[in-house]
Amino acid sequence: MIFTYLNSSKEIEEYSLQPGQRILELLNGRADAQDIYAVTLNGKLHDLNYIPEKGGAISFVYAQSEIGKMIYERTLSFVFIAAVHLLFPDTAVRMEHALSSGQYWEIQRKPFLTPHDVDRIKEKMESMIAQKEKITRTIMDTEAAVAYFESIHMVYKAELLKCRKSKKSSVYHLCGIDDYFYGILLPHAGYLKHFALRYYAPG
């Protein structure tokens, strides 16, 4: 399969993939590969794990773009959620609202969250990032996804999925933790270079 890319010099570059290869493999050899967070293929946005069925016109979604920033924040949220669940199983965690230039989360557990717990979460996230833990996606029937999240007591996610009109939904997986996000994620945690985490009672 052949993919054509119009670069910043208005020159056409050609890339090729074999059937079954991921878009991520198309970036091999590019100096800026680590700054590419997604692609647009024939006008449709795809994550880097996408396996195309045909070639066409391609463009790259970079880290500094608005879409790139959303992909980064979404992926960082998943790494945070996974770290919390790995450290504190069966604990509800939910993003409540934006706070300054970040996000405010609450973790519902007893005993209540402490500054030491936040340090443990940060260390767990840093370990997952250093290990470049893989993030994979499964496409499920939306009804099945709703039933699944209800079965693991993630009622908020189940209710969110019930509002979807699409019959299919994407469920992401990281270190044995599953979650649903409205939008694509990066292929592994190693892309996350910058983040800060601090205690802000009670979250």
Side-chain angles (χ1 to χ4, degrees), residues 57-77:
I58 196 169
S59 61
F60 302 131
V61 176
Y62 284 92
Q64 65 269 27
S65 68
E66 287 303 312
I67 294 176
K69 291 175 184 176
M70 287 190 289
I71 294 172
Y72 187 98
E73 291 177 1
R74 202 178 292 130
T75 305
L76 182 60
S77 293

Side-chain angles (χ1 to χ4, degrees), residues 141-153:
D141 290 337
T142 299
E143 288 186 3
V146 169
Y148 171 68
F149 283 114
E150 287 178 337
S151 73
I152 59 173
H153 310 294

Side-chain angles (χ1 to χ4, degrees), residues 28-61:
N28 290 340
R30 285 190 64 96
D32 60 355
Q34 192 68 17
D35 295 323
I36 297 173
Y37 284 2
V39 299
T40 300
L41 175 59
N42 298 323
K44 187 174 181 179
L45 184 68
H46 293 286
D47 64 44
L48 297 180
N49 280 327
Y50 177 65
I51 300 175
E53 296 181 353
K54 62 180 180 180
I58 196 169
S59 61
F60 302 131
V61 176

Side-chain angles (χ1 to χ4, degrees), residues 20-132:
Q21 286 186 309
R22 300 175 298 162
I23 284 291
L24 186 62
E25 295 172 85
L26 181 146
L27 306 180
N28 290 340
R30 285 190 64 96
D32 60 355
Q34 192 68 17
D35 295 323
I36 297 173
Y37 284 2
V39 299
T40 300
L41 175 59
N42 298 323
K44 187 174 181 179
L45 184 68
H46 293 286
D47 64 44
L48 297 180
N49 280 327
Y50 177 65
I51 300 175
E53 296 181 353
K54 62 180 180 180
I58 196 169
S59 61
F60 302 131
V61 176
Y62 284 92
Q64 65 269 27
S65 68
E66 287 303 312
I67 294 176
K69 291 175 184 176
M70 287 190 289
I71 294 172
Y72 187 98
E73 291 177 1
R74 202 178 292 130
T75 305
L76 182 60
S77 293
F78 191 21
V79 172
F80 171 75
I81 291 167
V84 171
H85 285 313
L86 290 168
L87 290 170
F88 312 113
D90 302 318
T91 297
V93 55
R94 182 169 175 173
M95 201 278 278
E96 294 293 334
H97 52 75
L99 181 64
S100 185
S101 58
Q103 298 174 339
Y104 172 72
W105 293 75
E106 285 195 354
I107 299 170
Q108 299 172 4
R109 67 182 291 262
K110 291 183 179 181
F112 293 113
L113 194 73
T114 68
H116 176 64
D117 292 330
V118 173
D119 290 339
R120 290 179 62 197
I121 295 168
K122 184 173 185 290
E123 289 171 2
K124 186 65 175 177
M125 292 174 68
E126 290 172 339
S127 174
M128 295 164 71
I129 291 167
Q131 295 295 322
K132 297 183 178 180

